[in-house]
Amino acid sequence: MIPEDVINRIRERADIVDIVGAHLSLTKAGQNFKGLCPFHQEKTPSFTVSPSRQTFHCFGCGEGGNVFSFLMKIDGSTFPAVVRALGEKVGVPVEDRPVSPAVRQRMELRERLLALTKVAAERFHLNLLADAEAEPARNYLASRGMTPDTIERFDIGYSQSGWDGTLTALTKAGFSAEDIAAAGLAIPREQAAGFYDRFRGRVMFPIRDLQKQVIGFGGRMLDDGTPKYLNSPETPLFSKGRILYALDAARDAITRLGYVIVVEGYFDAIALHQAGCANAVATLGTALTPEHLELIRRFTQRVVLLFDPDAAGVRAALRTMDLFLGSGFSVQVGSVPAGDDPDTFIRSQGPDAFAALIKSAPSLLEFTVQASLTAGRAGTVEERVRCVEDVLTLLQKLSNPVEQSAAIRHVADQLGMDEKALLARYKALPRKSVKASTPQPSAGVFENQPLPKDEEVLLQLLVHEVLTPEMWTEVRAEDFTDTRAKRLVSLVCAADAPHTRQQALAQAGEDELCGSITRALSMTELPYDNINAAFQQSLKALKLRRIAVELQEIKAAEALATKAGRDEEARTLLVRLNVLQQERQKLSKINPSSYNEAGRIHA
């Protein structure tokens, strides 16, 4: 664990303009700097860096944060790794606080295993290039169109066919048999003491994390042995449900192009990279998981999946549809012709044909509905009905009612059915699992929603720290209607002094819910000639709206209390009603001088 004071010293010494400027071109724009966002495609610069606040924010995609956030996003590194690297750069040594013996033991094991897998990958690669036994592997790779440059780039290797070639080599290199087994490269013998190699006589694919460290391996059998493909088991380094093959090589292209292509095999991903489609990744013999989605979300929210157009591909699409619904991702599905896979298709048809396939790929919803209905039409009446209900059950998990309506209309069009009849059936379906499957709204759902104008003005004055002590006393979180605004005000107004408010604003800029609007508002110019008038007029509008809402609620409650004969409750409510009406009348008489109009912030 890195001490907080060390993190703060590094943050103070690091200039975010210099750090960001090393990764993209920045130009001066008033008090800030602007450039093309590295996290999404854009032609007009909307990526803004504030030297005074040492923060960045993109008004296009909403990404933002401090110097650590930027480096974590751009490098795909963990927070401790970024802090250490930046500390070394700015001259602040980073020493971890003492940890428990168990944690220290896990950390030391991880370091040993990373050193071990690095040596193993180098040995496998050398085997492929120089070992006579690897001649069939070299011929096989050539038959798959793998060039020497691609073999070198992906460190493709070969594991010897003997029972203990890898084990012996790694033991001689100084690693224990127990660590070799812990890294997934050896298996304990059942009938005797000792271990034997897990990978034997296979083409080897090193699997790397985002720091390009080898954390596992995939092996492809050359003969008729089984399994044809074998991955490392779950280890302290490797979990196939959390890793995407070639993401370390694809991340820059994914960010630049704005989308990722997901395929199902090592050769598919490598062949696409070799043909220039450098934004391709592959799953490791498993379906996509929620952890995969969170990994992808760090680089893009647009995904192109490549499924086979057979029954298995349709089933995979249905499973994936369930995973992606309500996730916020834009998902398309491409299908190569029957008998092809992405590897053979791009080698035989070329990159242009593949690009056309991607461009014409339907949405995941359209693909799933069409494929499912096509399968259903070929079955019995009962199977067709079940097919339709399967699709409608999936649509129940769409959290956005506009999306639901559009999807039902699309299904009705595909079936040639009356939309009202289909909607009636949709509403009649059991909805037991919908609540559990629908993700809760996150900050990202609201990022592009504009704030109410009066709330925007007040927040802008707040984050620019131009409010007087008297103004501060009038700002209350409960007066705001926007969830993000309430969060920001509650964080900052809890501070009781200017220096603690500055700390609270820095915290708000990193907050999951209100971070985006905090950064966006702090990077705008104040357009008001009269700060006091802008504050008073917006505060008046804010309070009048809050009073109007409360008046409606109290009138309804008083009517119910009177009808139910709860006279004391009704009298109390009438007193409150009278107080609010007087407060509204008093506020209405206030007429602050005019001020410049504020634009809407989309954060």
Side-chain angles (χ1 to χ4, degrees):
M1 184 176 176
I2 302 172
E4 191 67 30
D5 61 321
V6 172
I7 295 171
N8 289 334
R9 287 210 315 274
I10 294 171
R11 184 189 288 112
E12 290 167 3
R13 289 198 189 183
D15 185 346
I16 194 169
V17 176
D18 290 341
I19 300 299
V20 174
H23 294 271
L24 61 137
S25 177
L26 294 175
T27 56
K28 195 82 164 66
Q31 297 178 349
N32 301 320
F33 289 80
K34 296 188 79 171
L36 293 173
C37 180
F39 306 126
H40 81 289
Q41 279 188 304
E42 62 177 8
K43 295 180 180 179
T44 303
S46 60
F47 185 89
T48 306
V49 181
S50 169
S52 61
R53 297 184 179 275
Q54 288 293 297
T55 58
F56 74 94
H57 181 80
C58 177
F59 288 85
C61 67
E63 284 291 345
N66 58 24
V67 65
F68 301 125
S69 310
F70 177 80
L71 290 173
M72 288 169 66
K73 179 75 177 176
I74 204 79
D75 293 335
S77 298
T78 61
F79 180 74
V82 163
V83 173
R84 289 190 182 92
L86 193 53
E88 183 177 347
K89 182 174 182 177
V90 300
V92 177
V94 176
E95 294 182 4
D96 287 346
R97 285 179 178 153
V99 295
S100 68
V103 172
R104 175 65 62 188
Q105 191 175 21
R106 288 197 298 271
M107 291 169 61
E108 290 174 350
L109 174 62
R110 179 177 174 83
E111 292 302 316
R112 293 200 307 273
L113 297 188
L114 285 171
L116 189 157
T117 51
K118 180 176 184 292
V119 172
E122 291 169 351
R123 172 178 168 74
F124 291 141
H125 186 59
L126 186 60
N127 286 346
L128 179 69
L129 298 180
D131 196 320
E133 183 191 319
E135 184 66 23
R138 292 190 287 270
N139 293 337
Y140 173 75
L141 290 171
S143 73
R144 297 292 299 257
M146 298 291 104
T147 66
D149 179 65
T150 297
I151 290 170
E152 188 72 28
R153 190 169 147 211
F154 287 91
D155 283 331
I156 300 173
Y158 175 75
S159 58
Q160 294 168 319
S161 58
W163 286 93
D164 60 1
T166 302
L167 186 66
T168 300
L170 291 175
T171 303
K172 286 181 179 179
F175 300 103
S176 70
E178 289 73 20
D179 280 356
I180 297 169
L185 290 168
I187 301 172
R189 296 181 183 274
E190 293 183 3
Q191 304 299 327
F195 301 84
Y196 64 93
D197 290 350
R198 178 181 299 275
F199 298 98
R200 303 183 306 280
R202 292 177 179 269
V203 173
M204 299 295 292
F205 302 93
I207 301 166
R208 301 178 185 274
D209 63 14
L210 287 172
Q211 286 75 51
K212 299 190 179 295
Q213 301 173 117
V214 179
I215 56 173
F217 295 91
R220 205 275 187 193
M221 185 65 76
L222 289 173
D223 55 25
D224 295 330
T226 55
K228 181 184 290 186
Y229 283 94
L230 179 66
N231 288 325
S232 291
E234 299 287 308
T235 74
L237 300 179
F238 179 76
S239 175
K240 66 182 180 180
R242 298 174 182 270
I243 298 293
L244 290 166
Y245 179 72
L247 182 57
D248 62 297
R251 47 179 295 174
D252 291 342
I254 293 169
T255 299
R256 184 178 70 255
L257 298 172
Y259 70 101
V260 61
I261 300 171
V262 181
V263 295
E264 295 181 303
Y266 300 105
F267 278 111
D268 289 335
I270 293 172
L272 292 180
H273 276 259
Q274 183 173 276
C277 300
N279 56 332
V281 301
T283 53
L284 301 173
T286 182
L288 281 170
T289 66
E291 290 78 14
H292 285 145
L293 264 60
E294 290 311 305
L295 188 60
I296 292 170
R297 197 189 300 276
R298 294 168 65 177
F299 303 100
T300 184
Q301 287 190 287
R302 182 184 166 206
V303 180
V304 178
L305 306 169
L306 290 185
F307 288 125
D308 293 332
D310 55 14
V314 173
R315 288 193 297 273
L318 283 166
R319 289 194 303 270
T320 308
M321 178 87 173
D322 197 25
L323 179 68
F324 276 107
L325 280 175
S327 67
F329 280 90
S330 169
V331 190
Q332 296 168 264
V333 181
S335 297
V336 295
D340 264 327
D341 54 36
D343 172 20
T344 58
F345 180 84
I346 202 164
R347 284 195 286 133
S348 62
Q349 303 299 317
D352 290 343
F354 184 79
L357 183 148
I358 295 297
K359 186 175 181 180
S360 62
S363 70
L364 176 58
L365 175 64
E366 186 177 350
F367 175 88
T368 305
V369 169
Q370 190 60 53
S372 185
L373 297 181
T374 298
R377 290 189 191 103
T380 63
V381 173
E382 291 79 7
E383 287 172 336
R384 292 176 65 186
V385 171
R386 186 167 60 250
C387 166
V388 172
E389 294 192 350
D390 285 345
V391 172
L392 293 180
T393 300
L394 280 174
L395 299 187
Q396 285 183 334
K397 298 176 183 178
L398 285 169
S399 57
N400 187 322
V402 177
E403 279 188 284
Q404 286 181 344
S405 177
I408 290 170
R409 191 178 307 116
H410 176 72
V411 174
D413 289 343
Q414 292 294 317
L415 286 172
M417 286 181 62
D418 178 66
E419 185 181 338
K420 290 182 179 179
L422 196 63
L423 182 61
R425 181 56 192 149
Y426 170 78
K427 290 179 177 178
L429 288 173
R431 306 177 71 87
K432 293 180 181 178
S433 63
V434 175
K435 186 175 180 180
S437 301
T438 303
Q440 294 299 310
S442 64
V445 176
F446 305 102
E447 275 183 357
N448 291 319
Q449 295 298 317
L451 291 162
K453 186 174 178 180
D454 52 335
E455 298 188 18
E456 178 185 324
V457 173
L458 291 170
L459 292 184
Q460 195 175 26
L461 297 173
L462 184 149
V463 300
H464 280 272
E465 302 177 66
V466 296
L467 300 183
T468 65
E470 292 75 18
M471 291 175 175
W472 276 106
T473 62
E474 296 189 67
V475 180
R476 300 186 307 170
E478 57 266 30
D479 285 337
F480 290 78
T481 59
D482 187 277
T483 309
R484 300 162 300 174
K486 283 180 181 287
R487 173 66 174 165
L488 172 54
V489 174
S490 63
L491 284 173
V492 179
C493 288
D496 55 4
H499 72 279
T500 53
R501 288 195 192 109
Q502 290 173 356
Q503 294 173 356
L505 278 170
Q507 179 187 350
E510 299 298 314
D511 188 79
E512 183 179 358
L513 181 60
C514 68
S516 185
I517 61 165
T518 304
R519 294 188 301 269
L521 289 165
S522 70
M523 291 182 184
T524 58
E525 300 289 338
L526 283 177
Y528 317 116
D529 296 328
N530 188 326
I531 296 296
N532 183 64
F535 175 79
Q536 293 297 339
Q537 187 165 326
S538 296
L539 187 68
K540 172 184 173 180
L542 185 75
K543 291 182 179 295
L544 284 173
R545 188 169 68 249
R546 187 260 303 163
I547 289 172
V549 171
E550 193 173 348
L551 281 171
Q552 281 187 328
E553 293 172 349
I554 289 177
K555 286 178 180 178
E558 189 273 333
L560 285 174
T562 300
K563 186 175 182 180
R566 300 192 298 271
D567 297 338
E568 186 63 32
E569 180 183 344
R571 279 193 293 272
T572 302
L573 289 168
L574 284 172
V575 170
R576 176 59 182 162
L577 194 67
N578 185 50
V579 170
L580 286 172
Q581 287 171 337
Q582 290 178 2
E583 187 179 347
R584 181 175 64 180
Q585 187 176 9
K586 184 179 177 181
L587 278 170
S588 298
K589 291 179 180 179
I590 298 174
N591 185 29
S593 56
S594 63
Y595 66 98
N596 292 345
E597 291 289 316
R600 287 295 182 92
I601 293 294
H602 292 259

